[in-house]
Every structure is written in structure tokens, then in C-alpha cells.
Amino acid sequence: MSDGRYIALEGAEGCGKSTHASRLATALGAVLTRETGGTAIGQRIRAILHDTSINNLSHRAEALLAAADRAQHIDEVVAPALAVGRHVVSDRSVYSTLAYQGYGRELPIDEVRHLNRWAVGTHWPDLVLLIDAAPEVLERRMRGRQLDRFEQEGELFHERVRDGFRQMAAEEPERWVVIDGAQSLDSVATDIRTATRERLGL
Ligand code: TMP
């Protein structure tokens, strides 16, 4: 029986998720991975999703591309690692599609959840760490960076995404931990380690 645990880090662009995913994976000796783009096929899908020259991608096609990336990622990376007892730390997961395509693009949440149930199978993250910070904090960190298709979206889109993440965390408190992303890098890392210890005993 597998005792590998699947941990996802979620949050807005600029919240420090990738740095913390990497630090946590090192601390746990876990497989470090990401959505989108955690596989070679996924990188090609990610290139479409992020391409700023594409201005007519339909919201449903966007949701399906994210789900296709996920199906490949679960089959190629997540499920095999868990099956041999490795822990998996993923920079984003199925909850990003619910937040961005569901809440952000305002596609019906139940439908987005339904199509992702098929993409994910039984592999929903055991623990989701939401690094949450106010838009002003994130904006400061993003200044000077080249923006992708999602980052170019307006304030209201990003507000809906943030509210969506917070709502999902409130609805499933046993699966989610909300971490204050306005803190220093080290304080966020400490909170993440505390959460993984308390929730999963790792
Ligand atoms: P990041 O990987 O650099 O955080 O950027 C990924 C971008 O893609 C981010 O703006 C969120 C977006 N995204 C979705 O819209 N849906 C998804 O399912 C995933 C995984 C990411």
C-alpha cells in the first residue's frame, strides 16, 4: 500500500509558490512537479495557454487544455510516484483550474469540477497550501516582469480567482491550509512546514 502523500501549493502569481514548492520538496525528499507544464506534453500545452499572441482561445478550450495537461501529469508523474510511496509536491493542481477557469472565467464551477474529476481520477491532493496575499503585495513583486496571458487579465479577474481560492479553502478546511503570503519568505516556509507536520505528520 502506498503511503506517498500528494501536496499542492496554490495561489496567485507572485505569491512565492514555486520557491516554496521547491523548498518543501527538498525538505520532504518529495518529487517536485508542476501544473501546467510538468511533462513534455504539458509544456507544449502550457506554451499555448501562456502565449500572449493568442487572443481568441475560448474559455472552454482553455479549461480543457488545462485538464489535458493534468491528465497527462497525473498519469506520467503523480500516480507513478505515489504508487511507489514517494511524496509529491506540486506547484499548482486541479484547484487552479477551478479558481482560474471556474471562478476567474466564470465557467460553471460544477461543470469544471466534473471534467476535472475525469482528468484527476482518484488523485486529488491530500493537502492544499494556499499562499494568500493582497493584490497590492503581489503587484509589487510582479513589477518589471513580462506578463503572460493570465497575468495580463484585469483586476476583477484576479479578485474572482483570489475569492475562489479562499472560498474553496473555507468549504474544505480538512484539505486546505491558508498561509499568509505577505510574511517574509522564511516565515511562509515555517508555516508550510508546520502545516505539513500537523496535517500529514510529515
Ligand atoms: P505559473 O505556473 O507561472 O504560476 O502560471 C500559470 C498560469 O496559468 C497562472 O496564471 C494560472 C494559470 N493556470 C490556469 O489558468 N489554469 C490551470 O489549471 C493552471 C494549472 C494554471
Side-chain angles (χ1 to χ4, degrees):
M1 243 252 294
S2 152
D3 60 355
R5 309 309 293 270
Y6 179 16
I7 303 166
L9 276 84
E10 295 285 4
E13 301 83 355
C15 76
K17 201 171 38 43
S18 308
T19 307
H20 290 295
S22 167
R23 280 173 75 156
L24 179 63
T26 303
L28 300 180
V31 172
L32 172 65
T33 188
R34 66 191 283 188
E35 288 184 6
T36 55
T39 63
I41 290 168
Q43 278 170 27
R44 293 169 75 171
I45 296 172
R46 182 182 171 93
I48 299 172
L49 287 170
H50 285 238
D51 188 342
T52 50
S53 72
I54 295 177
N55 55 20
N56 63 344
L57 182 62
S58 83
H59 293 171
R60 285 186 309 132
E62 185 180 275
L64 287 163
L65 284 169
D69 167 89
R70 177 157 308 118
Q72 184 68 29
H73 181 236
I74 296 284
D75 287 353
E76 190 178 324
V77 179
V78 178
L82 295 174
V84 296
R86 298 283 309 273
H87 302 308
V88 174
V89 174
S90 186
D91 179 351
R92 297 197 183 279
S93 72
V94 59
Y95 294 107
S96 278
T97 302
L98 291 169
Y100 284 82
Q101 281 66 51
Y103 290 91
R105 300 294 193 210
E106 300 183 297
L107 290 173
I109 300 290
D110 285 348
E111 290 178 19
V112 179
R113 202 181 282 277
H114 181 74
L115 85 92
N116 276 281
R117 237 175 243 141
W118 194 62
V120 167
T122 56
H123 296 295
W124 290 74
D126 297 302
L127 175 65
V128 188
L129 302 165
L130 172 60
I131 306 180
D132 183 58
E136 306 83 73
V137 173
L138 302 173
E139 247 164 55
R140 235 178 289 133
R141 295 187 190 157
M142 297 291 288
R143 222 165 270 161
R145 264 175 54 174
Q146 195 157 8
L147 303 182
D148 66 31
R149 266 183 66 253
F150 297 99
E151 291 157 352
Q152 287 179 351
E153 286 294 331
E155 231 170 78
L156 283 177
F157 174 82
H158 290 287
E159 256 173 46
R160 288 195 299 272
V161 170
R162 184 183 189 206
D163 290 347
F165 273 132
R166 285 151 54 117
Q167 189 173 323
M168 289 188 283
E171 281 166 4
E172 268 195 308
E174 64 293 343
R175 194 193 302 269
W176 291 69
V177 174
V178 182
I179 293 185
D180 176 7
Q183 305 177 93
S184 71
L185 209 69
D186 283 342
S187 301
V188 173
T190 302
D191 284 1
I192 286 176
R193 285 301 288 119
T194 304
T196 51
R197 205 170 296 121
E198 286 179 359
R199 293 299 181 91
L200 302 176
L202 299 177

